[in-house]
Amino acid sequence: MATRSVVVKIGTTSVTDESGGVAYGILVNVALDVADLLEQGWSVVVVTSGAITAGWFEVGRGRPRPTDGATLQAVSAVGQPLLMHAWRNAFAEVGLDVGQVLLAPLDFSHRGQYLHARGTLEALATLGVVAVVNENDAVADEEIRFGDNDRLAALVANLVAASHLVLLTDTDGLLTADPRLDPTATLIEEVPAFDADLDDVAGQSRSGVGSGGMASKLAAARMATWSGITTVIAPARAHNPLRQALSGSPGVGTTFRPRPERLSARKSWIAFAVASHGRMRINQGAMQALEHHGRSLLRVGIESIEGTFIEGDAVDIIGPDGQIVAKGLTRVGHESFFEGDDVVVHRDDLVLLRGT
Ligand code: GLU
């Protein structure tokens, strides 16, 4: 990827209008910005939401939106091509072609598949084609869905080693309080580092049609900043939404600064992309060895295990205080736990997560 590369995610409430149809004007604004950034040498990947809402606008005929998973997945199959049609037309206005890439969580869990997806996104960029990504809603099992495109966008940003992640949404950015409950809420322009208070600010805000809300945006920002990616939450309804978000101008969106020590792509993959299959509770001594001396996790430091995992699976490593300390790939499956290698999680396969 180019040195300056951005993954821009546009949420459902911005991609679609009040009626549920595609908000074409916003797509064109984004396309104009993308064209401009490409000319300046940026690399850009678009992550779009809105398939389910656009699909229900088409086939729902004004009925209330369904709530069951199977129907929503079927509806996404209607909306996804409508969405792509709109993106194709919007990008055609600026002379660019688009390619659709639909991803499922398993594409991030299997390292081979992960690298393959990266290859496809890079090849599209080389062709000068704008990748438009969404979750593969129609087929992903309800249990293993990403659930929201904020997380997907952070994973894609990590996948392509983007320098920036921009989450375009229907608010001005991260506010000090929920503006619907507190009219004095103001914009937080910059977040130099995460702390626990941020989660209180986010609350559990959810809009009617999107599935993200501010909590999932913060989770995405946390993931991305740990991967060394500057993250901006900014309004989609601005005139040049993406360029403005990247401009760093005062009053535009909330910028989250990346952590100075960037995790390697492989460690970010372990930390954020792979689902955990179990938990290992460790003792104080092991915690010290991991956190202060960068050691591997040895069997002697493990108090108990939970879950069903085999060699190579990711596990959460839990400290004596019950908090997650690290995540790593185990060298020993749960069935042969007391027979295998003394090194259970090698330090090369381990990511410390305190402070996340
Ligand atoms: N993938 C879903 C869709 O396109 C959106 C998920 C979200 O709202 O974040 O409808």
Side-chain angles (χ1 to χ4, degrees), residues 47-293:
V47 174
T48 185
S49 298
I52 294 173
T53 298
W56 191 245
F57 178 68
E58 179 85 349
V59 295
R61 307 199 195 293
R63 285 172 291 168
R65 182 178 158 122
T67 51
D68 71 292
T71 309
L72 290 174
Q73 287 189 265
V75 169
S76 80
V78 178
Q80 183 60 31
L82 298 174
L83 205 54
M84 280 313 294
H85 183 72
W87 278 114
R88 178 180 181 271
N89 289 344
F91 274 103
E93 293 201 21
V94 294
L96 288 168
D97 293 316
V98 294
Q100 168 184 273
V101 180
L102 299 177
L103 295 169
L106 281 181
D107 298 325
F108 291 89
S109 293
H110 294 174
R111 184 119 181 111
Q113 194 66 14
Y114 181 84
L115 297 175
H116 204 73
R118 173 150 81 197
T120 301
L121 291 171
E122 283 173 359
L124 282 168
T126 306
L127 287 169
V129 172
V130 180
V132 179
V133 176
N134 195 1
E135 178 167 6
N136 197 353
D137 289 312
V139 297
D141 182 298
E142 188 59 24
E143 292 292 305
I144 55 143
R145 300 199 48 212
F146 294 111
D148 65 73
N149 276 9
D150 298 317
R151 184 171 140 78
L152 171 64
L155 289 169
V156 171
N158 175 257
L159 180 72
V160 299
S163 57
H164 291 74
L165 168 66
V166 174
L167 303 171
L168 294 179
T169 185
D170 57 357
T171 66
D172 290 337
L174 179 64
L175 306 179
T176 50
D178 184 336
R180 289 165 301 188
L181 306 174
D182 181 352
T184 66
T186 53
L187 179 71
I188 300 171
E189 291 190 8
E190 179 163 349
V191 178
F194 270 97
D195 59 42
D197 294 347
L198 273 183
D199 293 325
D200 300 339
V201 173
Q204 290 301 316
S205 74
R206 265 169 201 284
S207 55
V209 289
S211 54
M214 200 45 80
S216 86
K217 281 176 189 53
L218 281 185
R222 183 182 316 229
M223 222 156 118
T225 53
W226 266 65
S227 307
I229 300 165
T230 302
T231 304
V232 188
I233 300 175
R237 276 164 213 279
H239 185 57
N240 295 120
L242 180 54
R243 273 181 284 184
Q244 280 211 27
L246 291 171
S247 70
S249 312
V252 181
T254 303
T255 301
F256 299 76
R257 299 282 163 214
R259 276 168 50 101
E261 62 280 23
R262 180 185 186 123
L263 285 177
S264 68
R266 184 163 181 281
K267 290 222 171 176
S268 303
W269 175 75
I270 293 172
F272 302 116
V274 196
S276 285
H277 289 258
R279 290 155 73 86
M280 296 180 180
R281 285 181 189 280
I282 62 171
N283 61 30
Q284 194 66 37
M287 195 167 87
Q288 289 280 333
L290 260 52
E291 288 202 314
H292 301 296
H293 305 289

